[in-house]
Amino acid sequence: MSTRLSPGDTAPDFTLPDADGRPVSLADRKGRKVIVYFYPAALTPGCTKQACDFTDNLDFLAGHGYDVIGVSPDKPEKLAKFREKEELEVTLVGDPEKKVLEAYGAFGEKKLYGKTVTGVIRSTVIVDEEGKVERALYNVKATGHVAKIIKDLGL
């Protein structure tokens, strides 16, 4: 089971392929705040709702200095289909080996329909301009999550 991050921790750096196979790195975002959100699978109802919410609020978040990166265990080809089908503008990256998911505490045991399973824990980590964890939210809901982040950040 991976260890969850806490405010003040250094956010683990990563470089993962986006929907077009291009590398996306957290280090490249130094000097900006980054909302890194982890979701189980592209093209599923909850994950679609969450990705659409982030896309709908992308300009607002960017205007307040935040970049958004969505991480799932999907391969770039599936992320590209997801992006095209749902007209997503949020940056989506794939972590098929689940190394980044584990480093962020977003992979492990969770309850699913009353059963304990191992999988992606829907999570959001907000990283400050210096690469430190500002907030780490685990077991978040797909619906209403973006509005809650905006409210909690006082934007």
Side-chain angles (χ1 to χ4, degrees), residues 15-58:
T15 301
L16 293 170
D18 70 5
D20 298 312
R22 291 189 301 256
V24 171
S25 173
L26 184 63
D28 292 344
R29 302 292 202 287
K30 195 118 172 138
R32 288 192 53 88
K33 294 182 179 192
V34 185
I35 297 170
V36 185
Y37 80 97
F38 300 89
Y39 63 99
L43 300 166
T44 58
C47 298
T48 297
K49 174 74 178 123
Q50 190 176 21
C52 288
D53 278 355
F54 272 116
T55 292
D56 291 347
N57 288 284
L58 206 53

